[in-house]
Amino acid sequence: MSRQGSDGTTDLVRSPSSPVALSLCALSAAMVVLSLISEGNAFSDSWWLVAFAVWLLMWGVLRSMTRGVAERPREGLDERERGLRDRVSFIGYQCAVGAGMAVVLLMVAFQNEPAMIERMPALLTTLMLTSSALPSIILGLSGAGVEDAEADHDE
């Protein structure tokens, strides 16, 4: 089922960072739900705070797994890696803009409901963190950063 492509990419099954990236996605979705159903401000909700702490830990692990492409100087990347890094960074930026606009639209739609407005900071925090982690998530799912980091370690 798993295969290595001619361009060096791998299936999701082969990438050791895929489970972390998928777990981060699932935890982000859970945090969105928790921020919307919390009684009052989610920053005072213990479930959301625990999810937030676990999310930060998992993001740190994923960042360390994908740093081969994500953090290497531009001169140390080949053309394919530069293109991949630029592409995933652009996707993260676009998602951050969209998430910010979604929160603004929700705030306008629910401006007369203080309970909903009180939930917006946690929702915005969750969406912005997820947007900022999206490049690492995409790199983690592709396995590009992990393979490159292992190749550098072997040399």
Side-chain angles (χ1 to χ4, degrees):
M1 171 144 201
S2 64
R3 63 175 164 69
Q4 178 129 0
S6 60
D7 63 350
T9 60
T10 60
D11 282 343
L12 296 179
V13 178
R14 279 191 63 132
S15 175
S17 59
S18 290
V20 178
L22 292 172
S23 297
L24 199 58
C25 290
L27 191 54
S28 292
M31 287 174 64
V32 167
V33 170
L34 287 171
S35 67
L36 291 174
I37 66 169
S38 65
E39 292 296 322
N41 189 342
F43 284 101
S44 60
D45 182 54
S46 59
W47 287 107
W48 189 86
L49 288 173
V50 167
F52 179 65
V54 172
W55 191 95
L56 288 173
L57 178 68
M58 290 175 60
W59 186 31
V61 169
L62 186 61
R63 291 269 311 170
S64 70
M65 294 175 87
T66 59
R67 69 185 313 165
V69 171
E71 296 178 12
R72 193 176 319 144
R74 188 167 178 82
E75 297 79 31
L77 298 173
D78 63 24
E79 186 176 322
R80 179 191 62 83
E81 291 169 333
R82 275 193 306 270
L84 178 63
R85 183 169 69 182
D86 291 347
R87 191 168 39 254
V88 298
S89 296
F90 180 74
I91 291 169
Y93 171 76
Q94 292 298 317
C95 287
V97 170
M101 288 307 300
V103 171
V104 167
L105 291 175
L106 281 172
M107 290 177 73
V108 169
F110 294 104
Q111 63 185 330
N112 295 326
E113 295 184 34
M116 188 64 168
I117 295 296
E118 192 174 6
R119 295 178 178 133
M120 290 299 118
L123 179 63
L124 182 62
T125 299
T126 302
L127 294 176
M128 288 296 124
L129 284 173
T130 302
S131 297
S132 66
L134 202 53
S136 296
I137 291 170
I138 295 169
L139 288 173
L141 290 174
S142 72
V146 176
E147 290 173 357
D148 296 337
E150 289 171 356
D152 289 345
H153 188 328
D154 291 341
E155 291 177 0

